[in-house]
Structure formats: C-alpha cells, structure tokens
Amino acid sequence: MERAFELLEHLADAGGEMALSELTEVSGLPMPTIYRLMRTLVNHGYVRQEPSKRYALGPRLIRLGEGANRLLGTWARPVLARLVDDVGETANMAVLEGDEAVYVAQVPSKHSMRMFTEVGRRVQPHCTGVGKALLSQLPDERVRDILGRTGMAAHTPNTFTDQDALLAELRRIREQGFALDDEEQEIGVRCVAVPLRGAPALTALSVSGPSGRMTLEAVADVAPIVRDAADRFAKELGGA
C-alpha cells in the first residue's frame, strides 16, 4: 500500500501523468513491481492508462479529493476563527481545482465593514492572494500552462497581466513565505495569503480586509501570524 500511494504522489507531483520509465526513475522501484501496482490502480479506477501508454491520475480519485476537501474546510474553521481573533479581519481557505482557486472555508471579521467571499466561489489565481499562494507551490512550467488557459485579465490597475512579471512575483512569495494581493482583484481590498503545506490538495490560508485597515504596515505584522497559523494547522493535519 505504501508503494502504491508513493506512485500516486509521484504522478501528482509531475502534473498528473508519467511514463512507466519515469515512475521507475523517480521511485527507485523495479519496473515489474511498478507495472503490477499500476495495473491494480488502473483496474480500480484510481489511475488510467492513456493511448500513449503513459499513466495518469484516474477519475475515481476525484470523489476522494472532494470528500477530503469538504472535511478540510470543516477542520479549518477553528484555525480560521483563531486568525479572526488574532488579526481582526476575515480569514479564508482556498484550494486549487483545475485552473481556479476555490474558497472552501471562511470565518468573517467582526467589523461591520468586512470582506465576504462565498464558500464555493471560484476565482482566477493570478489576481488573488490565495491564488498566488497556490501558484507559488507549482513549478513555473505548470504556472505558465494554467495562465495560458485562463488568461490574465486586468481587474484593477494593480493586476499582474504579464506572465514573466507574475513568475518573478511567485519567486518572491516563495522566498518571503507569503503572498500579497495589493488591491489586485478589487480596489480598496488587501489580502495576505500563505501556502498550507501537507494538505490533501494545493491549499492556502488568507486574511483579507479593507486597505484602510490592512495597510502595508499592518501586512508586516499580519503575515507572520498567518504563517504561524498555517504551520500549526499543517502539523495538526500531519498528526491526524
């Protein structure tokens, strides 16, 4: 079972599709062993074999992933509630589904003027804090593929509309450990987001608020708090 799960992880890390020879190289397992395991996974729908003979993640994993995402949103609510108490602004969690960031959990701020995003809302990743935190967890090639399909529409004058500029921004995000939506999706709104490592899907936590309260000076204080919350949650997930 451990070997089968490792092969699924290798497929996911490679973008969902690999040749048998590539699986042999990255896993270190003998080719006959990999072939037997992959045939079992194919027979149960967790892997499919393409006409090219390459192996790809199968449709039966979707049901497992959707169930895990629903549970993840439930587990995240206490973490988001603590973030709201610590920061005073709305806290969110989003995952990458296909080419979009999808909000799966939110706890609203107690302020009368607050940010609100419906759970289930889908947004383009290039112009949002959670979206950039999600993209920062992918190799540049995958990011270019996603942006090529979604385009980079300008929602405000601050939106990134050039792939190279966004890739440079993603490198900064990886170095500093958090993403900033500096009024890139909506004028008057700032958002700080961080990757959630160890989640069942690419995931990010964020805190968003009016730019009048979420000043750039405030961002410097908020970012470490969101990072710490994500680190604690990741440890909880790892121990689950």
Side-chain angles (χ1 to χ4, degrees):
M1 286 183 66
E2 183 177 348
R3 288 176 172 179
F5 283 125
E6 286 177 358
L7 293 175
L8 290 173
E9 292 284 350
H10 288 312
L11 282 172
D13 291 342
E17 184 178 306
M18 296 181 78
L20 185 63
S21 59
E22 294 169 330
L23 284 166
T24 302
E25 183 178 347
V26 298
S27 69
L29 296 173
M31 189 174 290
T33 299
I34 295 176
Y35 180 78
R36 287 197 303 273
L37 290 169
M38 297 307 284
R39 289 315 309 163
T40 299
L41 292 169
V42 168
N43 290 338
H44 286 81
Y46 296 111
V47 169
R48 70 175 189 270
Q49 191 167 26
E50 305 289 0
S52 64
K53 303 301 182 184
R54 291 171 68 84
Y55 290 101
L57 295 174
R60 200 164 182 187
L61 289 170
I62 295 173
R63 182 171 64 89
L64 299 181
E66 288 175 345
N69 281 344
R70 284 194 296 269
L71 284 175
L72 187 61
T74 301
W75 297 335
R77 285 193 61 81
V79 177
L80 300 181
R82 286 196 296 271
L83 263 177
V84 173
D85 289 340
D86 291 342
V87 177
E89 303 295 349
T90 297
N92 314 279
M93 186 171 72
V95 300
L96 189 68
E97 283 189 7
D99 295 337
E100 297 174 308
V102 182
Y103 289 93
V104 295
Q106 181 183 84
V107 174
S109 165
K110 297 177 176 63
H111 290 290
S112 56
M113 181 184 291
R114 61 194 180 193
M115 301 302 101
F116 179 78
T117 298
E118 290 183 358
V119 171
R121 182 188 177 197
R122 295 174 174 269
V123 294
Q124 290 183 312
H126 73 285
C127 58
T128 55
V130 289
K132 292 193 292 183
L134 292 167
L135 292 179
S136 73
Q137 301 175 65
L138 296 173
D140 286 357
E141 211 171 290
R142 288 275 310 280
V143 174
R144 286 190 185 277
D145 288 342
I146 290 172
L147 298 177
R149 290 188 293 268
T150 63
M152 300 180 68
H155 294 265
T156 77
N158 295 343
T159 306
F160 283 90
T161 57
D162 176 79
Q163 286 195 13
D164 290 334
L166 181 61
L167 289 172
E169 172 74 357
L170 296 180
R171 286 191 287 273
R172 283 193 291 273
I173 290 168
R174 295 180 192 114
E175 291 172 2
Q176 67 189 12
F178 71 92
L180 174 64
D181 168 4
D182 188 10
E183 301 184 298
E184 295 161 40
Q185 187 187 37
E186 184 178 347
I187 293 295
V189 177
R190 283 200 181 95
C191 174
V192 176
V194 303
L196 178 63
R197 310 293 181 183
L202 286 185
T203 307
L205 299 183
S206 73
V207 166
S208 55
S211 53
R213 290 198 305 262
M214 186 78 83
T215 63
L216 293 178
E217 291 76 13
V219 166
D221 296 325
V222 168
I225 297 172
V226 184
R227 276 201 308 262
D228 289 345
D231 289 344
R232 288 197 304 272
F233 190 29
K235 289 176 182 175
E236 291 175 15
L237 291 174

